[in-house]
Amino acid sequence: MGSSLVIEDLKTWGPGRGWSRIDLSDAEAYCRKLATTQYENFPVVTLLLPKRLRQHFYNVYAFCRWADDLGDESGSVAQGRALLDWWQLELDRCYQGEVSHPVFVALLPTIRHFGLQKSLFDDLISAFVQDQSVTRYETFVQLEDYCRRSANPVGRIVLALCDRLNRENAVLSDRICTGLQLANFWQDVARDYEIGRIYLPKEDRDQFGVSDRMMELRRSTPEFRALLRFEVERARGFLLAGQPLVGKMPGRLKFDIDLFVRGGLMILRAIERIDYQVWERRPVIRKSQFLWETVCSVPRVLLSW
């Protein structure tokens, strides 16, 4: 089994453990700890986010972290699928007002306060379930549909928390979230391959002459680097297409959305800095780089006011 906090916590909060109900303050503290101790490219919540929204962001993150790790870190496809089915049942119970797991104890008030649609959480779980059986993508259209369920619901939830969910903003948010998901895929080509997954669409690999055998060799050949350059530019296009959302957000929330976009662009630049050689080393974002982007975000956002 994996070593994530979620997998460790299955011993206490997993199915069939017969746990006693946790109170709201302890449940919120659990979600907050999970969100602030897990590794991410950039923080889930920054100090620029209004304090009144921070716990709600932590609660949503905790739901996503559990779903993601149950699928990826459980040790086997069968176990991952069983745990995700259990997580879906816990979500169903939550929307019926029956909660006992700390994540859902904390999440239920967030759902009710902001009127969050269940379908957004259903879509997220469906994407993680898909990961248990679909390990290759023939076309980019298929991959984009996966992003529609694995990433875009998070952006729409964020918009709802910020009271800015409408059709126009949702479209822009979807572009940002798809761009972020793609950037993470291209950052983690080697890691995903190790667990049997290839997110690079076959039609693109064929276009650039990257065969299955070349993927097996795990070498950043000229053909592979040309392929990844193409995918990086595609991801950048999505992020930049969604950037107008920054100007549509209220007050300090502009900074956080701007940093989401900038975080994705930072991942892409990190890939470019190593000349797309992601088989040999994983491109990473240093904390100092993110802090610099935070400073640079201030004049950019002020200009949008």
Side-chain angles (χ1 to χ4, degrees), residues 77 130-137 192 195-200 205:
V77 170
Q130 180 172 309
D131 271 332
Q132 306 308 302
S133 58
V134 179
T135 58
R136 304 286 190 277
Y137 291 85
D192 289 331
I195 59 174
R197 296 177 190 162
I198 299 177
Y199 291 103
L200 291 160
R205 288 186 278 129

Side-chain angles (χ1 to χ4, degrees), residues 148-164:
R148 178 185 64 78
R149 289 174 290 116
S150 69
N152 296 1
V154 176
R156 293 183 177 222
I157 290 171
V158 167
L159 286 176
L161 298 183
C162 299
D163 194 29
R164 285 298 184 274

Side-chain angles (χ1 to χ4, degrees), residues 147-201:
C147 294
R148 178 185 64 78
R149 289 174 290 116
S150 69
N152 296 1
V154 176
R156 293 183 177 222
I157 290 171
V158 167
L159 286 176
L161 298 183
C162 299
D163 194 29
R164 285 298 184 274
L165 180 57
N166 57 49
R167 181 172 298 182
E168 181 182 2
N169 288 350
V171 170
L172 294 173
S173 173
D174 288 351
R175 291 169 181 166
I176 292 172
C177 291
T178 292
L180 281 169
Q181 179 74 89
L182 294 175
N184 285 322
F185 284 155
W186 313 149
Q187 179 186 34
D188 284 332
V189 168
R191 284 188 175 186
D192 289 331
Y193 194 84
E194 287 177 2
I195 59 174
R197 296 177 190 162
I198 299 177
Y199 291 103
L200 291 160

Side-chain angles (χ1 to χ4, degrees), residues 8 38 79 87 96 117 142 148 171 177 190 195 226 278 296:
E8 288 297 314
Q38 291 286 93
Q79 179 73 352
W87 198 239
Q96 295 165 6
Q117 297 178 2
Q142 293 172 345
R148 178 185 64 78
V171 170
C177 291
I195 59 174
V278 294
C296 292

Side-chain angles (χ1 to χ4, degrees), residues 34-204:
L34 194 64
T36 54
T37 56
Q38 291 286 93
Y39 169 78
E40 298 292 338
N41 279 306
F42 37 93
V44 175
V45 169
T46 73
L47 293 177
L48 298 171
L49 185 71
K51 189 174 182 179
R52 62 184 173 80
L53 293 177
R54 292 175 191 171
Q55 185 63 53
H56 297 297
F57 272 65
Y58 293 141
N59 300 341
V60 171
Y61 173 85
F63 169 88
C64 297
R65 181 77 275 154
W66 264 77
D68 194 4
D69 284 4
L70 290 176
D72 280 357
E73 306 286 345
S74 59
S76 71
V77 170
Q79 179 73 352
R81 180 58 193 265
L83 288 170
L84 286 169
D85 287 346
W86 163 70
W87 198 239
Q88 178 69 60
L89 289 175
E90 290 298 310
L91 175 66
D92 295 343
R93 290 182 63 243
C94 177
Y95 269 85
Q96 295 165 6
E98 303 172 10
V99 292
S100 50
H101 190 283
V103 170
F104 290 103
V105 170
L107 185 62
L108 181 56
T110 298
I111 288 171
R112 287 176 169 171
H113 183 78
F114 295 97
L116 300 179
Q117 297 178 2
K118 183 173 181 288
S119 60
L120 296 171
F121 297 99
D122 288 333
D123 280 349
L124 287 166
I125 294 178
S126 78
F128 298 129
V129 168
Q130 180 172 309
D131 271 332
Q132 306 308 302
S133 58
V134 179
T135 58
R136 304 286 190 277
Y137 291 85
E138 291 291 321
T139 68
F140 181 72
V141 169
Q142 293 172 345
L143 183 63
E144 193 173 11
D145 177 70
Y146 173 82
C147 294
R148 178 185 64 78
R149 289 174 290 116
S150 69
N152 296 1
V154 176
R156 293 183 177 222
I157 290 171
V158 167
L159 286 176
L161 298 183
C162 299
D163 194 29
R164 285 298 184 274
L165 180 57
N166 57 49
R167 181 172 298 182
E168 181 182 2
N169 288 350
V171 170
L172 294 173
S173 173
D174 288 351
R175 291 169 181 166
I176 292 172
C177 291
T178 292
L180 281 169
Q181 179 74 89
L182 294 175
N184 285 322
F185 284 155
W186 313 149
Q187 179 186 34
D188 284 332
V189 168
R191 284 188 175 186
D192 289 331
Y193 194 84
E194 287 177 2
I195 59 174
R197 296 177 190 162
I198 299 177
Y199 291 103
L200 291 160
K202 188 176 186 301
E203 66 179 3
D204 296 344

